[in-house]
Amino acid sequence: MKTFKKVYVEIISVCNLACSFCPPTIREAKIIKLDAFNDILDQIRPHTKYIYLHVKGEPLMHPRIDQLLDAAHAKGFKVNITTNGTLIKKNAEKLLGKPALRQINFSLHSFDGHEGSENREKYLGDILEFVREAKEYNTIISYRLWNLQQEHANDLAKRRNRETLEILENEYNLDFKIEEKVQPGKGVKITKNVYLNQDHEFKWPSLLAPEDDGKGFCHALRSQAAILVDGTVVPCCLDGEGVINLGNVKQTSFSDIIDGERANNLVDGFSRREAVEELCRKCGYRQKFGV
C-alpha cells in the first residue's frame, strides 16, 4: 500500500485574482460538491492523513469550505489551506476552531502579483486580525513571500517586500529585520506557530517550456499526489493542467490509479534519476533536488 505525506485535493479551479506568476488554468471552471469530496476522502484514506485543499484556484471561494473541513475531520484528516488571503475576513467564521484545520499558508506575494491590488495595510490587516484569533486554536500560520528574483530583486520589488515585512515586524514587535534571518527556501519563526517563508518566484511547468536532459529526482508519487477538481489524478501539485493524467477517481479507484503502469513508470524513472514524462523534463522544480 503506497502512502503519501500529503495529497492535494483541488476543491475549486477558479481564482478571484489574476497574478502574474500564476497562469490561469485552461480547464473548465468547476467546484467540488460535498458528496464528491467525501468519495475522494474515502478513496485516499488508506494512503494519507494530510490533505491540501488546492492545486489551482482559490479555496476560500468555495461557499461550503466549512462543510468540507467538517467532512475531513469526520474521516480523520488534517487539512492545510493555501490562500491569497483576500477573502479571509469573509470566511473567518467558517475556518476558526475547525479541528481539521492544521495550517493556513498566506501567499502574500499575491498582493503585488495582482495588478489591481489596492491598500496593502487593509489586506494585511484582515489577515493579521484572523491570525490573532487562529492562534487561540493553535493553527499553524505560514506567511509566504515567494517573489524573490533569480538574480537580484529590482528596487520596486524590494521596496514592496519591505513594506509588507515592516507591517509584520510591527505586529509581532520583532527586534530584528526579517531579511536578516530568513533564507530562501527556509522559514523563520516569528512567534509560536507563526512563520515566514521567502523563496524565489515560482514557475509553473509548461509543455511550451524548453526541455532539458531529463536527469534528476522528484518526490512526485513518493511523498505526494494530487487530485484535480474533476477527479483527475496527477503526480504532484505542479501539474495544474492535468497533463500527466493518471486516471480519474470517478472511473477507477485512487489505489489502482497510483499503482498503474504510467504512475509506476514515473516513479521508477526518478529512481534512476530520469524524468520519463515530457512535463517533468520541462519542470524547473526538479532541479531543486539535484541529479
Side-chain angles (χ1 to χ4, degrees), residues 135-174:
K135 286 175 63 180
E136 300 298 319
Y137 301 99
N138 292 317
T139 306
I140 299 170
I141 303 296
S142 173
Y143 300 121
R144 292 179 171 182
L145 276 174
W146 288 4
N147 59 359
L148 299 179
Q149 306 300 311
Q150 295 297 335
E151 298 297 330
H152 298 287
N154 59 50
D155 290 339
L156 178 59
K158 287 182 178 179
R159 179 174 61 79
R160 287 172 169 174
N161 279 354
R162 176 93 295 272
E163 291 173 0
T164 294
L165 295 176
E166 186 173 357
I167 291 173
L168 294 177
E169 290 161 0
N170 291 336
E171 169 73 13
Y172 297 103
N173 296 314
L174 301 183

Side-chain angles (χ1 to χ4, degrees), residues 32-93:
I32 203 166
K33 295 183 178 180
L34 184 58
D35 58 348
F37 184 71
N38 271 305
D39 180 63
I40 287 174
L41 295 184
D42 288 336
Q43 292 196 44
I44 66 176
R45 200 171 182 178
H47 302 280
T48 192
K49 294 299 179 187
Y50 296 92
I51 57 175
Y52 288 55
L53 300 186
H54 63 279
V55 175
K56 283 292 187 73
E58 168 51 52
L60 297 191
M61 288 183 67
H62 198 295
R64 295 180 174 83
I65 185 71
D66 51 343
Q67 295 180 29
L68 301 185
L69 289 170
D70 289 341
H73 177 63
K75 297 180 185 296
F77 289 95
K78 290 297 182 181
V79 178
N80 285 27
I81 293 176
T82 296
T83 172
N84 59 43
T86 57
L87 303 175
I88 194 63
K89 191 176 185 69
K90 178 181 177 181
N91 286 277
E93 291 185 1

